[in-house]
Amino acid sequence: MEEKWLRYFDQQQARRPAVLRQLMLGKITSSVAFWAWTYDWLKYYYLNPHLKKEIFDQEIKNLQKKGYLSEGEAGMVLTDQGQAFLAATQTGICIQKPELFGRINMKLWPEALALWVQVCSELSYSNSHYRVLSQRIFLQNQVKMVLQQVDKAQFVVDFSQALDAFLAQEKPQAALAFALLLAGHQQTGFTQTQVAKKVGWTPKQVEVNYLDMVSRLGEYFLQANDKLKCLVEPYLRRNVLFSEPAQESYRLFLKGYSRQKIAQLRGVKISTVNDHLLLAAILYPDFDRKQAFVQAADREILRQYYHGSPEKWRYKDMQQKRVDVEFIKFRIYQIQKMREVGYGQTTTIFTN
């Protein structure tokens, strides 16, 4: 568990654990989004929607007590001792593409995949008398609907070949641990504890490996096999990170409406519209490409008061000097300057 949380911190930049917790829970605000974007954490959106605040906070405190994390005014950094601990305990078993947990419904997709493995396995033996793994009517109906539209024999071949091709590109031990958990014809599937004993891992490592491979197999079906992407499409999340209400505010903004008019048309507060537009500024690099939002006069004032590394700028510094520039304009200007020095170049996000 210690290795799990330490991986999110580094020695160069102080980071805020509360932002990580909110992000993993899927609780996104413009403030959470800004700091997550700054730390390159946006990809962890919705990674752990059942994370308990008390447990997370206690584990972070334990890491501090052991000297692995050090807290300052700006947040927490990984210490030399923490770095040494990480180097000595890295297992290589982790979520390789955490952004997929925000894109794919990881409550339903793992169960749907297990059902598809079972169904295709039984079909390959022409066995129609078996008890299905999932009792969810929705998942069963999805399977029935697809099978009614395809050549079943060819579909089983396509599914088996794609699954084999995916597993062939994985590390043998990881592929084995994944496959042993699956059920099929005359194969009930092992428990995580049983698999752990067979491959020399802990049950938790078996679980993490399985979830990682399930998510990446979903992506594999979507991208590498047109015949099988229909298996994953019912479990895709829409408008990840950028809700429909936020998108509507942004659409009106692009049409030239003022924030006051957008708030009036949508029946919300201006502060809500501001939050939506800040999200847009973070998620869309071309948000203010014509420099229409932060006007020349505001830019001149901001240039006078802010110099150096833009990620270190704080609005309260300007407030203390009684300078009158709205927070939203300060933040958008800051985001633009951060982009100029390379922030936001590698983060994978889903806004559709």
Side-chain angles (χ1 to χ4, degrees), residues 118-128 156 184-186:
Q118 180 193 29
V119 168
C120 288
S121 176
E122 297 292 0
L123 282 174
S124 68
Y125 285 90
S126 301
N127 179 26
S128 59
V156 169
H185 183 68
Q186 297 182 352

Side-chain angles (χ1 to χ4, degrees), residues 36-106:
W37 176 74
T38 300
Y39 305 148
D40 195 26
W41 277 354
L42 281 180
K43 57 195 170 191
Y44 300 118
Y45 174 78
Y46 220 74
L47 181 60
N48 194 340
H50 306 295
L51 182 62
K52 299 294 184 182
K53 178 183 185 300
E54 299 77 13
I55 295 175
F56 176 83
D57 290 345
Q58 187 57 53
E59 290 184 353
I60 294 298
K61 288 180 181 178
N62 291 339
L63 293 173
Q64 284 183 266
K65 289 179 181 179
K66 292 182 177 181
Y68 297 157
L69 288 176
S70 177
E71 185 173 19
E73 183 179 350
M76 292 190 182
V77 294
L78 188 67
T79 63
D80 290 340
Q81 188 176 346
Q83 181 64 39
F85 175 82
L86 263 184
T89 57
Q90 289 281 15
T91 62
I93 303 171
C94 63
I95 303 299
Q96 297 182 37
K97 290 191 172 183
E99 63 268 26
L100 295 178
F101 282 63
R103 188 183 184 196
I104 301 173
N105 186 323
M106 289 299 290

Side-chain angles (χ1 to χ4, degrees), residues 208-219:
V208 171
N209 178 73
Y210 182 76
L211 291 174
D212 170 58
M213 292 185 65
V214 166
S215 64
R216 291 189 293 106
L217 180 56
E219 181 189 47

Side-chain angles (χ1 to χ4, degrees), residues 273-288:
V273 175
N274 286 346
D275 208 54
H276 292 167
L277 295 183
L278 280 173
L279 276 171
I282 292 165
L283 299 177
Y284 295 99
D286 62 348
F287 171 82
D288 199 27

Side-chain angles (χ1 to χ4, degrees), residues 137-340:
I137 301 301
F138 169 73
L139 298 185
Q140 293 179 15
N141 287 339
Q142 286 293 327
V143 170
K144 291 176 182 177
M145 183 175 66
V146 171
L147 292 180
Q148 288 172 354
Q149 299 172 359
V150 299
D151 180 316
K152 292 182 182 179
Q154 185 58 50
F155 184 84
V156 169
V157 172
D158 293 338
F159 182 86
S160 299
Q161 289 179 346
L163 182 58
D164 288 344
F166 174 79
L167 293 177
Q169 68 185 14
E170 301 296 314
K171 295 178 180 178
Q173 191 177 27
L176 175 63
F178 174 78
L180 287 174
L181 291 169
L182 300 172
H185 183 68
Q186 297 182 352
Q187 172 63 50
T188 57
F190 290 85
T191 66
Q192 290 179 359
T193 301
Q194 291 172 327
V195 174
K197 291 180 179 179
K198 283 185 173 291
V199 299
W201 291 352
T202 66
K204 188 63 179 180
Q205 289 173 327
V206 172
E207 179 188 7
V208 171
N209 178 73
Y210 182 76
L211 291 174
D212 170 58
M213 292 185 65
V214 166
S215 64
R216 291 189 293 106
L217 180 56
E219 181 189 47
Y220 183 83
F221 284 161
L222 287 169
Q223 296 182 351
N225 197 306
D226 287 339
K227 296 178 181 179
L228 299 178
K229 65 182 181 181
C230 62
L231 306 188
V232 190
E233 287 174 334
Y235 313 104
L236 292 182
R237 297 183 186 280
R238 307 297 180 186
N239 304 328
V240 174
L241 292 176
F242 202 44
S243 66
E244 182 57 39
Q247 288 197 50
E248 180 58 27
S249 293
Y250 185 44
R251 281 193 286 266
L252 291 171
F253 170 76
L254 292 177
K255 290 181 179 180
Y257 288 97
S258 69
R259 285 175 287 156
Q260 291 78 7
K261 187 63 175 179
I262 294 172
Q264 180 184 351
L265 289 172
R266 304 204 55 243
V268 299
K269 296 179 181 179
I270 290 181
S271 60
T272 300
V273 175
N274 286 346
D275 208 54
H276 292 167
L277 295 183
L278 280 173
L279 276 171
I282 292 165
L283 299 177
Y284 295 99
D286 62 348
F287 171 82
D288 199 27
R289 58 186 178 275
K290 295 182 180 179
Q291 299 187 350
F293 192 88
V294 184
Q295 298 176 345
D298 296 317
R299 288 179 179 276
E300 184 57 36
I301 294 173
L302 290 164
R303 273 196 294 267
Q304 292 176 18
Y305 282 92
Y306 291 100
H307 311 277
S309 302
E311 73 278 4
K312 297 180 180 179
W313 297 350
R314 299 294 181 265
Y315 184 63
K316 66 180 181 180
D317 296 338
M318 195 168 61
Q319 281 183 306
Q320 292 170 353
K321 297 174 182 178
R322 300 180 183 276
V323 178
D324 187 22
V325 175
E326 281 186 276
F327 173 76
I328 186 174
K329 294 184 177 181
F330 157 78
R331 183 68 93 200
I332 289 175
Y333 179 77
Q334 183 183 26
I335 291 168
Q336 291 167 349
K337 291 302 178 182
M338 288 173 69
R339 288 193 191 281
E340 290 176 9

